[in-house]
Amino acid sequence: MRTHKIAAIPADGIGPEVIEAGIAVLEALAERMGDLKLEFRTFDWGTDYYRKHGIMMPADGLEQLKPFDAIYFGAVGAPDVPDHITLWGLRLNICQNFDQYANVRPTKILPGITSPLRNVGVGDLDWVIVRENSEGEYAGNGGRTHRGQPEEVGTEVSIFTRTGVTRIMRYAFRIAQSRPRKFLTVVTKSNAQRFGMVMWDEIAEEVSHEFPDVTWDKMLVDAMTVRMTLNPKSLDTVVATNLHADILSDLAGALAGSIGVAPTANINPEGHFPSMFEPIHGSAFDITGKGIANPVATFWTACQMLEHLGENAASERLMRAVEQVCAAGVMTPDVGGKATTQEVTDAVIGAIRGAND
Ligand code: GGG
């Protein structure tokens, strides 16, 4: 029996709804596999915790997480607390302190889901966006002075380091190399931002020599939105800065039918810290408590988590079950269905139990 210890942090909004669904599906999967045990421990951190304690997670929270093999995260953000407090207090606190510098965001159109793009169907849009996840625009370098006065100044300085850019570039080239098309697009804004972004281009060129079998090209981020929309089949693996990739991956999710299906993995490739897996979507308080949150992104990121844990067969079985359920039309309203979170979850569990492979 292989055992993996997983820390669940459902956090805010629809986070608890989709993580509950994810744990139910993972427990059914482990039972079906027979030789796999997943031990969950749920942490009550997030905005409710903040309202009680003035912090999003306890001071020793990172120490508490360290012994786990992976973190399964829901969503962060609430209407009554500023977003920068909730985001930096929980999600970014974990990502940055656990050096989860590679954020991997796959996109594909699942069977049964319709893309808003014309003439694009299942198999046509198959991307992996690699987001630099430790520095850049999210370096946290800035400040405010003269608050409220006419001369008030606010700075938000992006930090790009040679170490940070080189390691994410290598990571992205490696992913591109592992995929059939062996093709990487490097996104920057190096026409207007002539220091850090030009360094990105130079480092991409340098790292590319380590991967002679990978073809690559460069795009400016504004032009990239056009290419994703009008020529989506021309793309495969993409690497971009923390902010650019955050924006592009929301677009990617929408082009694949809904951000409700888009997963993300925050990876510490060296394995010094647990990696963290979550749906891309946030807390979505407009639909919180209605029972209609799409759990598919949370299931798909569970597949990423299982793969990361070396459980490839379980990962593939879960992805097959999700695709089968989508193809059968059991889907939440964001992707045109009428099913509830619970109905989609039950259908995926049914598909896992019913699989005769
Ligand atoms: N599950 C992802 C999540 O909760 N995201 C909240 C958010 O606001 N993220 C912004 C960011 O990661 O840049």
Side-chain angles (χ1 to χ4, degrees), residues 183-196:
F183 178 57
L184 176 69
T185 298
V186 177
V187 176
T188 65
K189 187 65 184 166
S190 55
N191 56 346
Q193 297 182 305
R194 47 199 174 135
F195 306 113

Side-chain angles (χ1 to χ4, degrees), residues 10-12 15 18 73-77 83 86-87 91-92 95 103 105 131 133 138 242-243 246-247 250 262 264 266 277-284:
D12 299 339
V18 292
F73 190 87
V76 67
D83 285 336
T86 53
L87 186 64
R91 186 179 172 274
L92 293 183
C95 289
N103 185 234
R105 304 185 152 201
R131 173 184 183 184
N133 212 32
Y138 284 54
N242 214 327
L243 180 63
D246 182 44
I247 297 165
D250 269 27
T264 178
N266 304 279
F277 302 83
E278 56 177 336
I280 282 184
H281 64 71
S283 48

